[in-house]
Amino acid sequence: MSSEDILEPGQYLPAPPVTDRWGIGVIGLGGVARNAHIPSYRALSLRVVAGADLDANARQFAASTFGIDAVAGHEELLANRDVGIVDVALPNTVPVRNQIIHDAIDAGKHVLVQKPFAYDYESALGMVEHAERAGVRLAVNQNGRWNPSYRAASAILASGFLGDPYFISHEMCIDQDSPNRPPWVLNLKRSVIVEYSVHHLDIVRRWAGRTAHSVQAITSRRPGQHSAGDLIATIGLQFDGAVANVVDNTASVGEAPYCRFRIDGADGTINGTVGAWPGGTGRGPGTIEVVRRGAHWVFRPDLAGSWAIDAFGATMSDLINAIEADAEPEASGRDNLETLKTVFAAELSAETGRRVRI
Ligand SMILES: NC(=O)c1ccc[n+]([C@@H]2O[C@H](COP(=O)([O-])OP(=O)(O)OC[C@H]3O[C@@H](n4cnc5c(N)ncnc54)[C@H](O)[C@@H]3O)[C@@H](O)[C@H]2O)c1
């Protein structure tokens, strides 16, 4: 096999939506909706037909920037017959957030839920089972799945080119501790694991091809940090036949930010970076380099796309295409339950100082 055979763009670029017939209603028009969700849907010519936000400034921004006639309460949006898919971009700290998701299911809407899917396992399971009973599709906006460098690595692993992975390492150092962040972020008592490491625990699980059977985690904080919760985590994961570590320092102010990963398989290695860093722009596909044991070449494909914003359009496309095919979305709520098991086990480990079996 030569290096040219390893990766085609079709293996890692997201599949476009097969139709624009679904009207999208966005509940929560804050930072992530205005900077990523709505621009990514517009880039794919998808139709955002309604919005809801309790905050008048957020509604005004949506109206003036995107021409969305937003309402205050979610009830009116759920009653809108043009809305077929409800996109929930509310923080988990909003007390009625999960109830809104249940109401959307009861209204017969398909639902895309921002990560983290829930702050506890039972709530997530309840939403999954409710959607399954109601016959609607529920997906989680676990958009890292479609970050180009992650997805390229996933495609190469899936091809069997590197053999079974036995070691995976993911490390990120960035600054998420600005005093200008929304109050719900700054006041959050829970640690970095549930809000940020969830992306990396999800992709590591996908690369490993299974859920870890045990986890050991430590969390910490930068002296003088603004945020209430610990912003630093190191998480060790044990799988049958593989180990992984996820290291997240989201309190890393003033130093060059980076985000990188390594996957060692029996027959070779992938080294990768995430395109958002360095530079902090959130754009760019990132990089991978692939080395095969015994081969005298390194494969460095020119990747295309970006995490922000293309991967956000990809999660919505995944849901739409699943609805049309009457199939489970790749990033379904049920699939996400496996990621949440790891997240909550890591939190428990950090709290108790114990290794936790999943
Ligand atoms: N990579 C990613 O996927 C990514 C990136 C950033 C944020 N997020 C997630 O997106 C979610 C939202 O984050 P954000 O940064 O946009 O938060 P934000 O605080 O900027 O926006 C939240 C919005 O929800 C509105 N809101 C609150 N309660 C409401 C209610 N009952 N009905 C209608 N609107 C209500 C607020 O007025 C605000 O405009 C969080 O769960 C966060 O973890 C994901």
Side-chain angles (χ1 to χ4, degrees):
M1 181 182 270
S2 76
S3 60
E4 285 74 31
D5 298 324
I6 300 176
L7 187 70
E8 296 288 334
Q11 290 176 271
Y12 73 89
L13 289 174
V18 294
T19 175
D20 65 356
R21 77 185 181 94
W22 292 95
I24 299 168
V26 182
I27 302 182
L29 298 167
V32 76
R34 68 176 68 158
N35 294 322
H37 292 221
I38 300 170
S40 73
Y41 305 156
R42 287 162 69 97
L44 291 169
S45 302
L46 295 172
R47 296 181 305 113
V48 179
V49 296
D53 199 298
L54 295 180
D55 180 59
N57 290 330
R59 296 198 299 276
Q60 169 58 29
F61 186 90
S64 58
T65 310
F66 304 117
I68 297 169
D69 192 13
V71 296
H74 64 275
E75 299 86 352
E76 201 178 324
L77 183 146
L78 295 183
N80 184 337
R81 294 167 66 93
D82 289 340
V83 173
I85 295 175
V86 173
D87 181 17
V88 180
L90 298 171
N92 281 269
T93 50
V94 171
V96 293
R97 173 196 183 265
N98 291 355
Q99 188 56 51
I100 288 175
I101 294 166
H102 284 291
D103 291 349
I105 294 168
D106 281 333
K109 315 293 187 186
H110 304 285
V111 188
L112 179 63
V113 183
Q114 248 303 348
K115 52 60 56 178
F117 179 20
Y119 271 179
D120 68 279
Y121 185 82
E122 288 67 28
S123 297
L125 181 63
M127 291 186 268
V128 167
E129 290 180 343
H130 186 186
E132 288 174 352
R133 279 196 307 276
V136 299
R137 298 288 172 193
L138 186 151
V140 178
N141 206 332
Q142 201 67 68
N143 38 66
R145 288 278 180 100
W146 282 271
N147 166 45
S149 58
Y150 288 172
R151 199 155 187 90
S154 301
I156 290 168
L157 281 170
S159 74
F161 187 72
L162 296 186
D164 285 337
Y166 64 88
F167 171 82
I168 302 170
S169 174
H170 190 288
E171 194 178 342
M172 179 176 87
C173 287
I174 62 168
D175 176 15
Q176 294 285 357
D177 188 44
S178 161
N180 302 324
R181 304 221 63 207
W184 72 264
V185 180
L186 288 170
N187 297 333
L188 197 65
K189 297 275 187 340
R190 293 177 78 149
S191 71
V192 56
I193 295 173
V194 73
E195 283 289 336
Y196 297 101
S197 307
V198 61
H199 283 299
H200 311 141
L201 293 171
D202 181 74
I203 198 68
V204 164
R205 176 174 76 82
R206 180 166 166 75
W207 286 335
R210 53 205 184 272
T211 304
H213 64 65
S214 64
V215 56
Q216 186 138 27
I218 305 168
T219 64
S220 182
R221 47 200 298 111
R222 192 191 77 245
Q225 74 173 43
H226 304 289
S227 307
D230 284 359
L231 291 186
I232 301 168
T234 111
I235 306 167
L237 302 159
Q238 189 147 32
F239 302 81
D240 289 327
V243 290
N245 73 286
V246 168
V247 177
D248 286 316
N249 176 1
T250 56
S252 176
V253 293
E255 302 297 330
Y258 67 82
C259 188
R260 64 186 175 212
F261 58 89
R262 179 181 177 97
I263 307 167
D264 276 317
D267 300 323
T269 292
I270 300 174
N271 282 309
T273 64
V274 172
W277 298 274
T281 62
R283 309 278 161 170
T287 62
I288 57 165
E289 62 175 30
V290 187
V291 190
R292 176 130 162 149
R293 193 153 61 145
H296 298 289
W297 43 262
V298 177
F299 176 53
R300 294 189 185 88
D302 288 327
L303 300 178
S306 66
W307 187 331
I309 60 175
D310 297 340
F312 288 77
T315 44
M316 180 58 83
S317 302
D318 175 46
L319 173 59
I320 290 171
N321 294 348
I323 296 167
E324 291 291 323
D326 196 19
E328 185 83 343
E330 176 179 327
S332 70
R334 185 160 284 286
D335 176 84
N336 205 261
L337 293 174
E338 293 301 308
T339 296
L340 290 186
K341 284 180 191 170
T342 313
V343 166
F344 300 138
E347 286 195 315
L348 182 62
S349 172
E351 279 160 32
T352 60
R354 284 193 293 112
R355 181 178 179 131
V356 174
R357 285 200 72 81
I358 298 176

